[in-house]
Amino acid sequence: MVDLGQWIAGVTNAATLDDLKAALELPVRFAGFSSPYVAVGHGYARFRFARRDGSGGWKDPGNLTGIVVTGKTPGLTMIDGDECPRCSDLLVRGEGGVDVDATIGRLEVAVSSRAIEEDAHWASLGDLTAIHASGLMERAESQLRCRTCRRIICLTLYRDGPATFGYHVLDDAMRRPMESIPPVEQWGSAERIAMAQAAMQYVDHEPGSWFLARQGDTLYFDARYSLGVADDSALIALNGEEREGYRTGGRSYLAELAKRMQAKPAGRRGSPYYSRDLSRRGGESGRDYRGEFTAAIKNHTWRAEQRARRT
């Protein structure tokens, strides 16, 4: 056994991520939600934590299992120097650069096989070329995460330049410029517009706290919560009691519901919202509730920005 205190003053082998951050006095970055690391000199130290409960591995004392030191940026390159077997052959080159259609085809196959997953906050692969062709966006981008190496794949189509394809760590991908996607009525086909009209629709929100969407008779509620070191949100379908509370209490009731969900975060197994979180259940049923909900919110955000610019 290694005594971590001999390497890093002020910590023990039971150190949490907060303990390590305080002792090292260095900013923590993430190569994936569960892969924190710090830059040290000309290299990187990546912290590995076990996940023994639903609260997050790096929060609880005793969950630290190891520290990997590498000269390569965690998440951007495989630690052992090998190519990732799941995502390293997805780019198709053509004359003058990226073969966009062929690359999208490979990415879609990888998504269907669950080798990679799309980030629903960005343009979907199926919409990317139509959005780009409309000329409404300076840069239309799809982001996808590899389930093996955790790198973020970014395929970007520029209005006035050639397409680009690259791999990024989580922090770098999150810093990339994001334009709001215009309403589907402005760039989609009749079939795509009909699909959007049958999908979840934005209803209301409180900035930084919650969003509400509707699909048919079902109301979907998304509320933010904190686990200390990281923020997340839980997506639930309102039950009968909650729907009645919203009918009679409106936004005030939703604000109270959001407070209850923040007090008992869905990220912990003991929470009454843990089993109701559709972000978690969706993976089991095959339906991407989170992606559908995010798509509804994206359209609303673009419209709100356009109204703000006009005023």
Side-chain angles (χ1 to χ4, degrees):
M1 285 290 293
V2 174
D3 180 0
L4 188 57
Q6 295 181 1
W7 292 81
I8 305 175
V11 299
T12 69
N13 287 16
T16 65
L17 183 58
D18 285 341
D19 295 334
L20 292 165
K21 182 178 179 180
L24 294 168
E25 297 183 344
L26 294 170
V28 174
R29 305 182 73 185
F30 286 82
F33 186 74
S34 59
S35 302
Y37 70 94
V38 295
V40 183
H42 296 292
Y44 304 89
R46 184 171 183 171
F47 308 117
R48 289 180 171 173
F49 294 87
R51 288 182 173 274
R52 298 192 176 103
D53 56 29
S55 64
W58 57 75
K59 182 178 181 182
D60 299 321
N63 279 13
L64 179 66
T65 61
I67 300 177
V68 178
V69 178
T70 175
K72 300 174 181 178
T73 307
L76 185 57
T77 307
M78 302 298 290
I79 287 178
D80 60 6
D82 294 334
E83 291 288 314
C84 175
R86 306 294 293 275
C87 74
S88 292
D89 62 348
L90 298 177
L91 169 63
V92 181
R93 299 186 183 277
E95 291 185 8
V98 179
D99 184 330
V100 174
D101 291 337
T103 298
I104 289 177
R106 281 195 183 178
L107 290 169
E108 289 177 333
V109 170
V111 169
S112 64
S113 68
R114 297 183 60 80
I116 62 176
E117 60 183 355
E118 293 191 69
D119 184 337
H121 293 85
W122 298 78
S124 69
L125 289 173
D127 293 336
L128 191 60
T129 54
I131 294 172
H132 172 252
S134 72
L136 295 171
M137 297 182 69
E138 181 179 342
R139 57 196 312 278
E141 179 167 297
S142 293
Q143 288 196 6
L144 309 96
R145 181 178 63 88
C146 177
R147 294 175 181 269
T148 301
C149 70
R150 316 299 289 182
R151 292 181 296 180
I152 308 299
I153 302 163
C154 298
L155 175 60
T156 313
L157 307 187
Y158 294 88
R159 184 168 57 203
D160 301 314
T164 60
F165 179 99
Y167 298 91
H168 304 267
V169 295
L170 179 62
D171 277 10
D172 291 339
M174 291 177 65
R175 290 186 174 91
R176 292 175 67 81
M178 175 188 282
E179 293 182 53
S180 293
I181 298 174
V184 65
E185 293 81 4
Q186 298 188 13
W187 51 264
S189 64
E191 181 181 6
R192 180 64 181 86
I193 293 171
M195 288 174 57
Q197 292 172 344
M200 291 187 194
Q201 303 293 327
Y202 165 86
V203 176
D204 199 358
H205 84 288
E206 179 63 34
S209 181
W210 54 264
F211 276 92
L212 183 70
R214 179 190 300 274
Q215 186 176 36
D217 294 330
T218 304
L219 289 170
Y220 295 94
F221 186 68
D222 183 69
R224 296 192 64 80
Y225 64 82
S226 175
L227 289 175
V229 70
D231 291 339
D232 205 345
S233 68
L235 176 63
I236 65 171
L238 297 188
N239 60 30
E241 179 181 348
E242 292 160 347
R243 288 174 61 88
E244 179 61 20
Y246 172 58
R247 188 187 69 81
T248 57
R251 300 182 87 254
S252 296
Y253 174 81
L254 294 181
E256 289 300 319
L257 177 58
K259 289 180 180 179
R260 294 199 297 272
M261 293 175 67
Q262 291 161 9
K264 297 181 178 180
R268 295 195 174 102
R269 289 186 181 275
S271 167
Y273 304 103
Y274 179 84
S275 62
R276 296 180 61 190
D277 187 357
L278 295 173
S279 299
R280 181 176 300 105
R281 289 173 50 200
E284 298 173 1
S285 67
R287 181 175 177 183
D288 183 9
Y289 287 97
R290 172 61 64 188
E292 294 178 35
F293 189 89
T294 301
I297 302 309
K298 282 195 301 187
N299 288 340
H300 161 75
T301 302
W302 190 90
R303 291 187 178 98
E305 287 184 357
Q306 296 305 304
R307 287 195 297 269
R309 288 174 183 172
R310 287 196 294 268
T311 58

